């Protein structure tokens, strides 16, 4: 008996490998105690199954982002924030460089981050600082994470600068308040920015700290750049003058939660669009469609 012939279907092709998940980037802005709102945003996203692959941050955003990138849960970050007291973190300085000494803050950061270095973090993370001698934005991605966070949070005149690699590093918000563009540079397909600067103060600043806070909100072109670099900007409802008020941390965490809850449908829609765009590019070629923004 002759073998039964089978139709020639040509060479067998291996099934294409499954597409990598869409990488979400979170850019967390500076804002002193207002940065507690980032905890609420992270908590809502985590509970919704939206886990960022990339986190960038300036100042308070660098602190919250570093803790999250180190693997600390939002529950633990919330508990840590609730335990904060300025006397445990800073004391009046005995130098001409700043109002407060941050040696205690440095030890707190090192303990909270378990002395981790950037290459030991669970997520891709970068902090922004500003070189006081040149005004240049400095991206911190290596070495001890606690030192990078301390530099990113060094508000000029309030906290002392951090000397590193021949640079004098101060608050990252002076150079890039919400580093959304950096999140995309680090490989994020979708960038969600969280701006906790609050509305531009309409009250007359009456103290040195209020003047410094008001100055920090004045970045020419900052909003336009942020809206260009990010796919979505969240602006939790926080008090622009809130700087030292650790007693308001729970209030700001809740503001972050509310902003994130409102944004969840849009974040999911952005992921769906990014997945559809990737599928189309795989079948039609990358030249067939430009970026959808």
């Amino acid at each position: 008996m002759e073998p039964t012939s089978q139709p020639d279907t040509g060479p067998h092709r291996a099934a294409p490998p499954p597409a990598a998940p869409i990488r979400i980037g979170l850019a967390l802005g500076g804002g002193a105690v207002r940065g507690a709102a980032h905890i609420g945003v992270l908590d809502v996203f985590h509970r919704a199954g939206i886990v960022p692959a990339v986190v960038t941050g300036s100042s308070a955003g660098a602190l919250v982002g570093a803790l999250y990138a180190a693997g600390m849960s939002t529950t633990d970050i919330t508990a840590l924030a609730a335990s904060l007291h300025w006397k445990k973190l800073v004391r009046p300085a005995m130098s001409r460089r700043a109002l407060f000494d941050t040696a205690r803050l440095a030890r707190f950061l090192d303990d909270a981050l378990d002395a981790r270095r950037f290459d030991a973090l669970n997520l891709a993370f970068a902090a922004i600082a500003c070189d006081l001698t040149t005004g240049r934005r400095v991206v911190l991605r290596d070495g001890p994470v606690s030192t990078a966070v301390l530099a990113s949070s060094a508000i000029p005149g309030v906290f002392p600068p951090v000397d590193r690699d021949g640079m004098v590093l101060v608050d990252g918000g002076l150079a890039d308040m919400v580093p959304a563009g950096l999140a995309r540079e680090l490989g994020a397909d979708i960038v969600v920015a969280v701006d906790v600067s609050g509305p531009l103060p309409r009250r007359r600043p009456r103290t040195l700290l209020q003047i410094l806070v008001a100055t920090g909100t004045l970045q020419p072109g900052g909003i336009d750049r942020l809206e260009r670099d990010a796919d979505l900007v969240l602006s939790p409802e926080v008090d622009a003058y809130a700087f030292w008020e650790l007693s308001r941390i729970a209030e700001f965490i809740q503001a972050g939660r509310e902003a994130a809850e409102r944004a969840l449908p849009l974040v999911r829609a952005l992921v769906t669009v990014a997945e559809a765009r990737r599928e189309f590019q795989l079948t039609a070629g990358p030249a067939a469609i430009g970026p959808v923004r």
Side-chain angles (χ1 to χ4, degrees):
M1 178 182 292
E2 294 185 2
T4 304
S5 61
Q6 299 292 332
D8 184 4
T9 57
H12 294 286
R13 296 182 179 179
I22 296 298
R23 290 169 58 85
I24 297 174
L26 281 184
L28 308 180
V33 174
R34 300 187 303 269
H38 297 315
I39 304 172
V41 172
L42 285 167
D43 186 56
V44 169
F45 282 6
H46 178 77
R47 295 174 187 276
I50 299 172
V51 180
V54 176
V55 179
T56 60
S58 283
S59 196
L63 171 57
V64 175
L67 294 172
Y68 189 76
M72 186 176 289
S73 69
T74 53
T75 299
D76 288 341
I77 298 174
T78 299
L80 182 66
S83 71
L84 293 180
H85 193 288
W86 282 118
K87 289 183 179 180
K88 297 179 182 180
L89 303 176
V90 298
R91 60 185 178 84
M94 301 298 292
S95 74
R96 299 180 179 179
R97 303 185 82 192
L99 294 175
F100 297 95
D101 177 85
T102 53
R104 294 175 182 174
L105 177 59
R107 290 193 294 271
F108 165 80
L109 292 172
D110 213 36
D111 290 344
L113 292 164
D114 198 24
R116 291 197 187 208
R117 301 176 68 86
F118 276 83
D119 56 9
L121 294 175
N122 295 8
L123 303 174
F125 171 71
I128 293 291
C130 177
D131 183 359
L132 190 59
T133 61
T134 64
R136 184 172 61 89
R137 185 186 79 154
V138 178
V139 177
L140 301 173
R141 290 202 66 201
D142 56 36
V145 180
S146 59
T147 303
V149 173
L150 191 65
S152 185
S153 306
I155 303 169
V158 180
F159 301 144
V162 173
D163 298 313
R164 169 174 161 158
D165 301 331
M167 297 179 291
V168 181
L169 300 181
V170 295
D171 195 311
L174 296 175
D176 194 349
M177 181 66 81
V178 190
L182 177 60
R184 201 174 299 280
E185 291 172 18
L186 297 183
D189 299 303
I190 296 169
V191 176
V192 178
V194 186
D195 178 11
V196 294
S197 59
L200 188 66
R202 295 183 180 181
R203 303 193 305 272
R204 182 186 299 273
R206 299 183 181 279
T207 68
L208 173 60
L209 290 177
Q210 288 181 351
I211 291 171
L212 290 170
V213 171
T215 302
T217 65
L218 302 176
Q219 284 199 42
I223 296 299
D224 292 340
R225 182 176 66 250
L226 178 58
E227 292 181 347
R228 181 181 67 245
D229 291 341
D231 297 284
L232 176 63
V233 179
L234 306 188
S235 299
E237 296 182 5
V238 292
D239 181 353
Y241 271 136
F243 183 87
W244 287 110
E245 297 92 332
L246 293 175
S247 61
R248 300 179 67 181
I249 280 179
E251 170 191 337
F252 296 146
I253 291 176
Q254 181 60 27
R257 286 196 182 103
E258 292 171 359
E261 290 282 2
R262 290 192 296 268
L264 275 179
L266 184 51
V267 174
R268 292 191 176 106
L270 287 169
V271 172
T272 299
V273 170
E275 290 173 340
R277 178 177 59 197
R278 176 182 288 176
E279 179 66 23
F280 183 85
Q281 289 175 333
L282 288 173
T283 57
I289 186 171
V292 178
R293 295 294 305 282

